[in-house]
Amino acid sequence: MASSSSSIFSGVKFSPILTPFNSGDSRRSRCVKDRNNKVRFNPSSPRLTPNRVRVEAQSLIPSNGLWAQRTTNRGGLKRSIGLGQGSAIFRKEATGISLSQGRNFCYTCKRTQSGIRRSLPSAFVDRTSFSLSRSRLTSSLRKSSQILNATVRPDEPHAAGTAWPDGIVAERQDIDLLPPEIDSAELEAFLGCELPSHPKLHRGQLKNGLRYLILPNKVPPNRFEAHMEVHVGSIDEEDDEQGIAHMIEHVAFLGSKKREKLLGTGARSNAYTDFHHTVFHIHSPTHTKDSEDDLFPSVLDALNEIAFHPKFLSSRVEKERRAILSELQMMNTIEYRVDCQLLQHLHSENKLGRRFPIGLEEQIKKWDVDKIRKFHERWYFPANATLYIVGDIDNIPQIVHNIEAVFGKTGLDNEATPTSSTPGAFGAMANFLVPKLPAGLGGTFSNERTNTADQSKMIKRERHAIRPPVEHNWSLPGTSVELKPPQIFKHELLQNFAINMFCKIPVSKVQTFGDLRNVLMKRIFLSALHFRINTRYKSSNPPFTSVELDHSDSGREGCTVTTLTVTAEPKNWQNAVKVAVQEVRRLKEFGVTRGELTRYMDALLKDSEHLAAMIDNVSSVDNLDFIMESDALGHTVMDQTQGHETLVGVAGTVTLEEVNTVGAKVLEFISDFGRSTAPLPAAIVACVPTKVHVDGAGESDFNITPGEIIDSIKSGLLAPIEAEPELEVPKELITQSQLEELTVERNPCFDPIPGSGLTKLHDKETGITQLRLSNGISVNYKISTTESRAGVMRLIVGGGRAAETSDSKGAVVVGVRTLSEGGRVGDFSREQVELFCVNHLINCSLESTEEFIAMEFRFTLRDNGMQAAFQLLHMVLERSVWLEDAFDRARQLYLSYFRSIPKSLERATAHKLMIAMLNGDERFVEPTPKSLQKLNLESVKDAVMSHFVGDNMEVSIVGDFSEEEIERCILDYLGTVKASHDSGKLPGSEPIVFRQPTAGLQFQQVFLKDTDERACAYIAGPAPNRWGFTVDGDDLFQSVSKLTVAHGASEMADGLSKSEEQLLEGGDRDLQRKLRAHPLFFGISMGLLAEIINSRLFTTVRDSLGLTYDVSFELNLFDRLNLGWYVISVTSTPGKVYKAVDACKSVLRGLHSNQIAPRELDRAKRTLLMRHEAELKSNAYWLNLLAHLQASSVPRKELSCIKELTSLYEAASIEDIYLAYNQLRVDEDSLYSCIGIAGAQAGEETTVLSEEEEPEDAFSGVVPVGRGSSMTTRPTT
């Protein structure tokens, strides 16, 4: 609910590849937030990511594919709120390497991510992170650097001749030959045929005009999604109503009593407003707990009240007015302001460039109830709405009956009955080539249902036939529109140079086989670009930071936008633009090679086949999102099986010549810039800093003119270009003969597992198998068929940044980045490794955290994909290549992060808090320039590789493989790794301490000069780790039986409800004793405590007091380190932030005076248990559960922590929660807080960063990932 978010949180998700062009909100977006994924920081628009190129496009197939993506929101501007979100017990184990968890819980960001940007599968995605808290707030201190495609280095062999040596994949030369028996007339007839529509999608319309769509879907079981889309948004507001649609969303959603009644059922709800629509949605169980009561009617009744019968009480309006004004300041980050600039210039001819959903402050302050009600009466009626229901549905006629019973009479009073509206308005079919979303609307429906009674009557109010109702100036050849000069946005909070060149054209609906063929050819063409650039630059410091090309449709904007985005250090901006234009021009002029065509076509078909096999494993919310976006775009939607069959059908008709012809048209606005025949760019926008850092001279003014931008573009047009050579692609990284030699030399086998005497432990209940190799590597695996022919694997190595010494600060994090930047193994270049991953549909990521170094692989079991993933892991462990220039880039990257911190209010504030709380320990923040200068290639290599000792490594695998297949790979590729058993030689860790109470450090402030006012605050304090160990060396389990609830234990006991007393006095006392003796007791009780505190913070600080729009409590419970901490993050206004901090402290300390009620605990249990149950079909979730199962550094993790998780949650009592609560230090001496204030009057205390400052006071940085997440709002709980 809320316009865009200024949040510092963003997220990363995984999804399929080869994926043009749906929902293009990625182009002008900075990044995404994902409440569940822990990589959430969203810094500035000019991205600081390492040298890489990403070709952005959208997928053709509804899918759960294996190709890596970054989900972002181009200028998202969506508003949303949410209830029912919270933390999960095993979040810490995800630490930024979870594959797709965020999709299940992040309702807000999901809505805003209508644009999904993708890149090809690749090796060595670096996800190193720093964290203040492992979940939401942590992102502020954590740097999560996503390097999807790093650059090939100067000394790497990357070009090849036409001969193909042994072990190299030979590209087919007949890829463009059509079957001779098919003539052109037959081909034309085939391509003109309509695509099939989804066979299970049911559609209908009530007499009052309300449309509905119903799709049965079994994932997750016993749950369903109900979304009410009202076709009104900020684009429908008049000049004096800017923000009123968002206001109504707040008031209607949070003012609904019927929605509140659902909170105790395990349902979660949320809402958001965008340009073109407002959506209210509920994720609910199908039945109430312990009964067969159907929840469908109650959910529908709540949506009916929210959308069509809200109560506009003055008290609620005033409360939400305060919340929105707070939200407006919260989201007004530099990222948001950059996104506004991009949208204003891209859509300068219509209201999309000036009707942002958050609205205008001066208008929000003035509206009375009557004005708000009149806007609602004008737009919120059934004929202007669509209801989507997707979930575990068996009786569709009964659902239709429920819809008619609840909504049938709404809107009919004194009105005529509607006829069906123009078919094109709603008949717009869903984009069938969208990631992870397998359902949608077809052009015609075999399962269509329409109430035909009284169809001769017309309703008085109808929805717009075209959404959004705006006119665009298209970037088409021959238009009379003149070229608009480049626009320059300068701001003191920007760090890097970024330029965007936009081309805007009408959406081409994908409804025939020919349409699908065109999309396929464009995707193949664009997929080549990042490899092209990677092979061109042999300097260790390429002029660009990143080059991205995105081509995607946007239903919310009603257009297709192609964007070239170039980011660079300000000093290199001209060369960066020149190089980007030069490479685009090379691709346009010479096209893709036959080898590239074959490579990407094969990869797409493999992924499509995999997705078809996953047809029964796509979540309901993904299906629903897919259908909704499809309706906006007008694409035909197919299920995965249909998608694969049609893709195979058109793939055989594709020729190399046509691919290059179709693809070249996408690039003409860049490659032919300035020619009379070329499409004119819709806008060229540069976002630049006002000052830049000059080594040895400090800061100087940065000047740039529109003429200089045009000149740099033209220089790229004049630069010499040559055709692209073919690349040698390895068929395997380890030959059979090499493997046989290693097997003879190292004799791999399975040793007895310590404590069992057995070489293999298998648990039938969970399906988990534990093994231990003779080289000391521990292995856990689980066979799972829920994701057909797919698997995930993770290597965890104990150590991480905590192992850095005072003489090697930053060595681990820079070393991991160096390995990622180099990307070479053995004799293979970075390109060869990445193309090996492309051919086998492998995605590999590499990260370092405070505790661990981890590598994660996602793969398909088709075409030896699992074997290929194991080969890559073996090569990294045995023959990784460390390059000097990769180290230089990694170090330079962290220097850039460091220098960017003073320009971020959130990061500067969080950093100062961490430094104060952890006594200046640099291992939990960014390394300083002084520390970075001390490092060299050998020191960072040693810091990383010294931890790769057999006993210190654990590999977990989950997937749809056989016992024989997995154990053969384990022996062949892990068993032959040369690893020492001597974990005693591991580098030791220096102690981590919380600073003792010191005057002036318990409470601190950060001031930042800015043109607009904002404020944020963090409150933190010590906690034990997940397993009951404290920073003082105490083992809480040794005294858990003696623990009492201090400061109110007797009062708490006296206040227990009768039901609680009966529970504790009955046989369930045994369950409670079992829980308290269980190694996961503190993990369980702390997780429930976090849910309860979060709920109270929202109710008190946000809802009752109106001091903030966004407040959250997060626990960071380590596994290996003997400590943890909690963090409260709150955003507010400068005038309210101090009161907000006091209110947060009051809630945190008030659990004894305001005792926990049984209903609070029950709600927390339901939230976590339902989350757990919903995730059990996810391979990635099981990978998290398996983490540390045999790790010697986490001795208390055992199989019961997985098997008994549900019963442990159910057994927890209020007493247990207080036992956990009393381990948090919340007194004034232990609690640290820091308030950050930005504004023109921030004073002379503005935080300034100098490289000469003592390292303990340096600021931590976070890697910018994505664009435009500033326009996206987090859930409010």
Side-chain angles (χ1 to χ4, degrees), residues 1241-1258:
Q1241 305 300 321
E1244 299 303 320
E1245 300 177 65
T1246 303
T1247 302
V1248 176
L1249 183 61
S1250 166
E1251 294 188 16
E1252 286 70 37
E1253 289 179 1
E1254 53 183 316
E1256 288 76 7
D1257 289 332

Side-chain angles (χ1 to χ4, degrees), residues 929-945:
K930 184 176 180 180
S931 297
L932 292 170
Q933 293 302 326
K934 293 180 179 179
L935 302 177
N936 56 49
L937 181 63
E938 286 304 314
S939 67
V940 301
K941 177 182 177 180
D942 181 67
V944 172
M945 300 308 295

